[in-house]
């Protein structure tokens, strides 16, 4: 015989209300949204850190004690039998051309330098080149097939 009133959902033999697939989908979606927000927050923080590092590089200057530090570094390298030192390393994205001129060994590669790297080069050109030092820049890594870090090396 049919029931005259509204039908009631069957009760679970486990007792209480049974969690539904809709509830499970909502839980899954909430977790995915939380993970997405966490990933976005992390990406934003990383971008802010990269921006701060870039800004510091662009506004960094050669220290007042550079001559003493330079002399100590090249003397120590020479005592170890070395004939060169890396004087600055930075991402190729800091170059005005993304490192293209350095990567292609173009003679005008110094024109692509910016910020601290440009200041280092200008000081090399003014003080160290006349003293007989040589300078070269090279791409040190190729993440994803693209130029990564640039190393500027002073040799004698």
């Amino acid at each position: 015989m049919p029931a005259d009133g509204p039908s009631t959902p069957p009760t679970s033999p486990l007792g209480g209300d049974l969690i539904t697939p809709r509830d499970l989908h909502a839980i899954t979606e909430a977790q995915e949204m939380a993970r997405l927000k966490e990933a976005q927050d992390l990406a934003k923080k990383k971008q802010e850190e990269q921006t701060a590092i870039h800004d510091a590089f662009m506004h960094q200057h050669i220290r007042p004690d550079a001559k003493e530090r330079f002399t100590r570094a090249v003397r120590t390298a020479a005592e170890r039998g070395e004939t060169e030192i890396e004087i600055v390393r930075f991402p190729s994205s800091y170059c005005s051309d993304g490192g293209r001129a350095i990567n292609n060994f173009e003679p005008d590669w110094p024109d692509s330098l910016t910020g601290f790297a440009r200041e280092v080069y200008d000081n090399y050109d003014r003080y160290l080149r006349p003293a007989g030092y040589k300078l070269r820049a090279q791409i040190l890594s190729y993440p994803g097939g693209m130029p990564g870090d640039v190393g500027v090396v002073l040799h004698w």
Side-chain angles (χ1 to χ4, degrees):
M1 150 160 92
D4 292 323
S7 66
T8 58
T11 58
S12 167
L14 302 175
D17 292 329
L18 184 63
I19 193 165
T20 66
R22 176 180 278 169
D23 297 333
L24 295 172
H25 288 297
I27 291 169
T28 301
E29 187 175 319
Q31 288 298 317
E32 288 176 7
M33 294 301 286
R35 281 192 292 274
L36 178 62
K37 181 170 181 357
E38 185 179 332
Q40 288 173 334
D41 291 347
L42 185 61
K44 181 180 178 186
K45 182 178 179 183
K46 185 176 181 180
Q47 181 58 46
E48 288 170 353
E49 289 171 355
Q50 292 300 320
T51 299
I53 291 168
H54 180 259
D55 289 347
F57 180 83
M58 296 306 286
H59 297 98
Q60 180 179 353
H61 296 288
I62 293 176
R63 295 170 41 156
D65 64 344
K67 183 177 179 182
E68 293 81 18
R69 293 181 63 182
F70 169 78
T71 300
R72 189 170 41 253
V74 294
R75 179 182 300 276
T76 301
E79 289 169 353
R80 288 190 306 257
E82 298 171 3
T83 59
E84 64 183 27
I85 59 170
E86 183 178 274
I87 56 174
V88 67
R89 178 186 291 228
F90 56 93
S92 61
S93 62
Y94 291 7
C95 293
S96 62
D97 65 355
R100 184 193 54 75
I102 292 169
N103 192 42
N104 292 317
F105 305 103
E106 294 180 5
D108 63 345
W109 66 265
D111 294 339
S112 70
L113 299 176
T114 62
F116 184 65
R118 184 62 204 205
E119 187 170 331
V120 166
Y121 179 82
D122 289 344
N123 275 274
Y124 155 76
D125 199 36
R126 185 172 181 188
Y127 302 111
L128 301 177
R129 183 193 308 259
Y133 289 95
K134 305 286 186 216
L135 191 75
R136 76 173 185 278
Q138 63 190 50
I139 303 297
L140 301 174
S141 63
Y142 292 87
M146 299 300 292
D149 282 351
V150 172
V152 179
V153 178
L154 184 74
H155 56 102
W156 52 91

